[in-house]
Amino acid sequence: MNVLAVLVVAGIVAVTLGLTSYAARRNKSTDDHYIAGGRVSGWQNGLALAGDQLSAASFLGITGAVALTGFNGFYLALGIPIAYLLVLLVIAEPLRNLGRFTLADAVAARFDGRLLRAVLAVASLILSIVYMVIQFVGAGVLAQLLLGVEFPLAVVVIGLLMTLYTMLGGMVGTTYIQVFKAILLIVTVLGLLVLIAVRAGGNPLGALFEARETYGDGIILPQHDSTATAFNNVSLSLGMALGIMGLPHVMVRFLTVRDAKAARDSAQVAMWIFALFFLALPVFGYAALNEVGRDRIIADNKAGNLAAPRLAEMVGGNLMFAIVVGVVMATILAVLAGLAIASSGAVAHDLYSTVLKRGNVTQRQQLLVGRLAGVAVSVVAIVLALGARTLNVAFLGTVAFAIAASTTMPVLLLTIYWRGFNRVGATCGLLGGLVVSVGLVLVGPDVLGEAHLFPLSIPALVSVPAGFLAAWLGSLAGRNNAAARGTPYDELAARAFPGRGRAEVTA
């Protein structure tokens, strides 16, 4: 057990508990619990988005992938900056104007109907729980490898902390924790860059040139073993770029801000942070290859997940190693808190309050159910994580992106932008995208191995068009159903884009 690393992690947890205690005083209503009362400023939400999206998988996984595979490892990072550019241009403003607590609220601004809301809620719940399992498994493995804490104990302790954050602090506390974690991560990344630059004679890119001299040009150029590999990389980037707009725990953050301008500002702040972060990761990967060595990285972890902590240890000693470990654990806690809030909203607000009770509940009842739902979802995710210890979490993460890009994302975009869309199309799009994306994963190489029926591990290249196609065909089938048309499109567009003229909205 690394005592210094344990102390750093304990100190960070103590700070997050203090933030949760402070937030609990402001977490008094359903608005506070689900969307922080809509009081978050643009720059605060931008930091929170960064804290929510920059996960341990990004920091550790991409650094290790670059160290072991060269430029190919950077494909894992390309989709995120593109995704937030799309979020800024396409979704941030209308989502803020149409939504209330969940993604289903934004769709319900145009289409009523309990079946559609129930399907959206279940899809959101599945995506959130899959991501929670990924974070729990990653936390348990890292705690065991870096801190010497047994896997089951780490998962249970982190689960208890996450439950405490969400029950007491709600979205207010979650926002505080995510902002705190984002600042920690930015400072740590800059500090590590400075140390690497000092080792390379003042040039942080010196690590890239040194790796090229040692391993040849192949380490800095894209490598494709086969056509299937090339298409899989394209599918991966497509799923990540479009999947962000369908992930409930990310999109809900745009409902916490004061107005549409703050939503746009928060996307811009997040984009700048992502630019810094993802440009630094290849430097870390090549520096780890030089300083730690490929054999040591593989010996620590075959996937290269410990390359970043070992690099920190080499260039900054045990103190920098402990700081990186602490930041990684804070990252996991911040992401889990956001996931728990999105999950509890889907259960309490969508399924319980709207679908089952048809809106006949008090705010006090909905807040109580939301807190209980957070506990229940946490227990389910912990149990699944304890049984999923050996699963490939990186694979699960990319599959979750592909599912989101094939289901919730098409429905959300078509609700906002297509006049001919209707409730039948929305339901068909959700179900069709879900069946195709999950089905192709099950018959793909990561499940069936050499006996696979579909050549790509990540199905986004096929499942995203399939989701849109199912939504279009469903809309054609339901175009004569007056009840399925919902709110007139001009009325919805005026609400989604209140600052634009009627001609521009129609165009």
Side-chain angles (χ1 to χ4, degrees), residues 334-349:
V335 174
L336 280 170
L339 287 163
I341 288 293
S343 301
S344 65
V347 173
H349 177 64

Side-chain angles (χ1 to χ4, degrees), residues 2-39:
N2 189 313
V3 177
L4 182 58
V6 172
L7 290 175
V8 170
V9 171
I12 290 174
V13 169
V15 172
T16 59
L17 289 174
L19 293 172
T20 301
S21 177
Y22 176 73
R25 305 171 194 172
R26 303 178 62 187
N27 187 31
K28 302 298 183 184
S29 67
T30 51
D31 284 69
D32 295 328
H33 189 75
Y34 295 127
I35 57 169
R39 297 185 297 264

Side-chain angles (χ1 to χ4, degrees), residues 383-471:
V383 172
L384 291 175
L386 292 175
R389 180 177 180 177
T390 59
L391 292 182
N392 186 322
V393 293
F395 167 67
L396 285 178
T398 52
V399 167
F401 270 101
I403 294 174
S406 309
T407 54
T408 48
M409 184 277 294
V411 170
L412 197 58
L413 286 189
L414 294 175
T415 297
I416 296 171
Y417 289 102
W418 185 25
R419 181 182 298 274
F421 199 41
N422 57 47
R423 190 173 63 207
V424 177
T427 306
C428 290
L430 280 170
L431 296 176
L434 182 64
V435 169
V436 173
S437 57
V438 174
L440 292 180
V441 169
L442 294 178
V443 299
D446 282 301
V447 176
L448 296 183
E450 294 183 0
H452 62 268
L453 303 176
F454 181 70
L456 303 181
S457 299
I458 310 302
L461 199 60
V462 175
S463 61
V464 171
F468 277 103
L469 178 62

Side-chain angles (χ1 to χ4, degrees), residues 20-184:
T20 301
S21 177
Y22 176 73
R25 305 171 194 172
R26 303 178 62 187
N27 187 31
K28 302 298 183 184
S29 67
T30 51
D31 284 69
D32 295 328
H33 189 75
Y34 295 127
I35 57 169
R39 297 185 297 264
V40 182
S41 67
W43 69 268
Q44 288 172 331
N45 198 50
L47 283 171
L49 279 167
D52 198 13
Q53 190 58 49
L54 297 179
S55 63
S58 300
F59 186 34
L60 302 182
I62 297 174
T63 299
V66 171
L68 296 181
T69 65
F71 183 86
N72 279 19
F74 193 54
Y75 282 121
L76 295 170
L78 294 178
I80 302 298
I82 298 171
Y84 274 84
L85 178 61
L86 292 174
V87 167
L88 173 63
L89 297 176
V90 175
I91 205 74
E93 178 183 351
L95 181 63
R96 168 61 185 80
N97 291 331
L98 294 177
R100 188 186 178 197
F101 294 151
T102 64
L103 288 186
D105 283 337
V107 177
R110 183 171 181 184
F111 308 119
D112 58 5
R114 293 190 298 161
L115 175 60
L116 176 58
R117 185 182 280 268
V119 174
L120 273 166
V122 170
S124 298
L125 195 58
I126 290 172
L127 287 169
S128 297
I129 289 178
V130 167
Y131 256 89
M132 290 174 76
V133 170
I134 292 168
Q135 298 299 320
F136 274 129
V137 172
V141 170
L142 291 174
Q144 187 171 15
L145 292 173
L146 301 178
L147 301 176
V149 178
E150 290 300 318
F151 180 90
L153 178 61
V155 169
V156 171
V157 169
I158 290 171
L160 291 174
L161 286 171
M162 178 196 72
T163 304
L164 193 63
Y165 295 154
T166 53
M167 276 194 67
L168 298 181
M171 183 58 87
V172 180
T174 297
T175 300
Y176 291 162
I177 292 169
Q178 288 169 338
V179 169
F180 169 65
K181 172 258 174 171
I183 294 172
L184 271 182

